[in-house]
Amino acid sequence: TTTSSSYVITIPQNPSQTANRKPERVLRRVWDPCRRYFSVVPGGFDEYVPKVLNDGDKTADSSSKMKSTVAVFLPVFIATASGFVSSPSTTSCAKNHVYKPLFATGVNPQEPSVKVVEDMPDALPPLKNHYYLLRHGQSTANVEGIISSARSLAGSTKHGLTLLGIEQGRDSAPSLIDFIEQDLKDDDNTSTKEVYFYSSPFARAKETAEQCLAGMRANDEVAKRIEELGLKVKKEVMLDDGLMERYFGRLDGTELLTYAYVWPVDMFEPTHTAFDVESVAAVSTRIRSTILDIDSNHDEGGNHIVLTSHADVLQITQVYASGLDNVGKFSQYRFGNGEVRKMGRTVDTLPAPVPLK
């Protein structure tokens, strides 16, 4: 955990990986440039960094010691992640650093289709339809433990659902109907009772939407409820590029542990593009445009629209739509595989936040 007067940042760790020192190796890749940077600071690196990071202490509690690093390194961590501080191979002291812009501008150098924005978008205005957020079920990429965000995955079958993921997709149907039924009770008879599915074009999301629809038909209890409620569920899943996974730039294809390079920085700088990732602000911008386009396509209002997408995208969507003052805290509102939620429009509709661990 890195602390300052304003922030507490916790680096996610997988207990199974702690035993073979992966957290240490990951943090060392981040901290090595910091060591170089502080080599010219009076007192040097040792004055600021816990001994476990400096001398490779292999004691049993080294992981817990590593999680207690001091606040002064927070700005250097951000700079390192963004390419602002060059790597150890290109410099040996601060005066020789090759400085690069801390936050990128213009077009994403890894993926031209990913926009780079300078500010968060305006708040999402009132909508005419009801929206529900469905995260994809377990995918083969989840099992492999890698980040899967390449735009080439759109329309492909790569990283589709596992057998468990298929089951999770089907099991999402009862919860979705619960939310729709509640909205019908609160809707003063203005609902069209029509249900539409929109999805990211990535296989894992599209397959989840299809399995949710299959679950509505295969589950006798759910099918009976749909009939009793008078719902008209559209069988077609409409694909929308605006629901694609958040793009993770140079981190795409790497271990899930490397989310720790991005999520902590998101919490205080939603426009950052460290490692050429798509910023929280950029995701919010495309989600705003996507939802407004969908809402205008159903201009009559009162429809029930399911957005099937990915964890970061849906978490950003729910906090942005709710009006949370810091959308960068989205990672504290995690979606499980196959989980569905109502897209609320007030902060009190959010689940209790769970800090990163």
Side-chain angles (χ1 to χ4, degrees):
T1 302
T2 301
T3 61
S4 72
S5 59
S6 302
Y7 303 102
V8 177
I9 293 177
T10 310
I11 305 300
Q13 291 193 57
N14 183 326
S16 66
Q17 294 175 325
T18 301
N20 62 15
R21 320 309 303 175
K22 283 187 179 180
E24 283 85 344
R25 291 201 297 273
V26 171
L27 283 177
R28 284 182 181 282
R29 287 199 293 270
V30 175
W31 289 109
D32 278 347
C34 300
R35 180 193 298 273
R36 296 283 187 165
Y37 183 86
F38 277 89
S39 64
V40 296
V41 175
F45 190 83
D46 294 336
E47 180 177 334
Y48 297 98
V49 183
K51 187 173 184 293
V52 63
L53 285 179
N54 191 37
D55 65 8
D57 180 12
K58 300 299 181 182
T59 59
D61 64 345
S62 62
S63 291
S64 62
K65 289 180 182 179
M66 283 178 52
K67 293 174 70 179
S68 298
T69 52
V70 293
V72 70
F73 275 102
L74 184 56
V76 184
F77 171 82
I78 304 166
T80 303
S82 303
F84 186 75
V85 176
S86 57
S87 68
S89 62
T90 60
T91 184
S92 60
C93 65
K95 66 180 180 180
N96 292 327
H97 284 172
V98 178
Y99 292 103
K100 301 177 183 178
L102 182 57
F103 302 116
T105 58
V107 176
N108 187 298
Q110 299 293 317
E111 176 53 64
S113 68
V114 174
K115 292 183 178 180
V116 176
V117 302
E118 296 181 353
D119 298 294
M120 284 291 296
D122 292 337
L124 190 64
L127 301 169
K128 300 174 182 177
N129 300 284
H130 304 281
Y131 289 85
Y132 312 91
L133 309 178
L134 172 61
R135 185 192 173 194
H136 65 79
Q138 184 191 68
S139 69
T140 57
N142 292 149
V143 174
E144 292 175 35
I146 60 171
I147 296 174
S148 170
S149 69
R151 283 352 193 198
S152 59
L153 293 173
S156 79
T157 58
K158 187 176 181 180
H159 294 165
L161 295 181
T162 63
L163 290 177
L164 175 58
I166 291 172
E167 182 180 349
Q168 290 169 333
R170 293 200 173 202
D171 288 347
S172 68
S175 295
L176 174 60
I177 298 303
D178 287 342
F179 285 119
I180 293 176
E181 182 176 11
Q182 185 58 52
D183 280 338
L184 289 174
K185 292 178 181 178
D186 300 337
D187 208 22
D188 297 329
N189 297 318
T190 60
S191 171
T192 64
K193 297 191 176 183
E194 294 186 353
V195 182
Y196 296 86
F197 277 79
Y198 285 80
S199 174
S200 158
F202 283 26
R204 55 190 185 267
K206 176 178 178 287
E207 291 171 7
T208 299
E210 292 170 342
Q211 290 303 321
C212 183
L213 283 166
M216 291 180 176
R217 297 188 296 270
N219 186 315
D220 291 341
E221 182 180 344
V222 173
K224 181 179 179 181
R225 290 178 64 194
I226 290 173
E227 182 179 358
E228 291 173 346
L229 293 170
L231 298 178
K232 294 164 279 187
V233 181
K234 306 302 180 180
K235 296 181 180 180
E236 179 186 5
V237 176
M238 289 167 280
L239 304 183
D240 195 310
D241 288 352
L243 297 173
M244 275 198 279
E245 174 67 286
R246 181 185 185 186
Y247 181 62
F248 273 85
R250 286 175 281 142
L251 298 181
D252 184 68
T254 63
E255 294 177 323
L256 297 180
L257 189 65
T258 55
Y259 281 135
Y261 291 169
V262 178
W263 289 342
V265 188
D266 288 335
M267 286 193 277
F268 62 91
E269 184 43 75
T271 63
H272 89 86
T273 57
F275 298 102
D276 300 319
V277 302
E278 184 179 16
S279 70
V280 172
V283 174
S284 300
T285 299
R286 68 171 161 97
I287 283 296
R288 184 181 194 275
S289 176
T290 298
I291 292 177
L292 292 181
D293 284 347
I294 292 174
D295 213 53
S296 65
N297 290 339
H298 301 276
D299 195 52
E300 71 280 7
N303 299 290
H304 303 270
I305 298 173
V306 185
L307 306 178
T308 311
S309 188
H310 311 264
D312 271 32
V313 174
L314 294 180
Q315 288 152 196
I316 291 171
T317 299
Q318 68 171 348
V319 297
Y320 167 63
S322 75
L324 189 71
D325 58 350
N326 182 358
V327 178
K329 292 183 178 180
F330 72 90
S331 55
Q332 298 183 356
Y333 301 88
R334 299 292 295 168
F335 268 75
N337 287 118
E339 182 178 358
V340 60
R341 294 178 188 171
K342 162 79 174 175
M343 190 182 83
R345 299 309 313 275
T346 57
V347 174
D348 61 7
T349 63
L350 294 173
V354 179
L356 294 176
K357 296 180 180 180

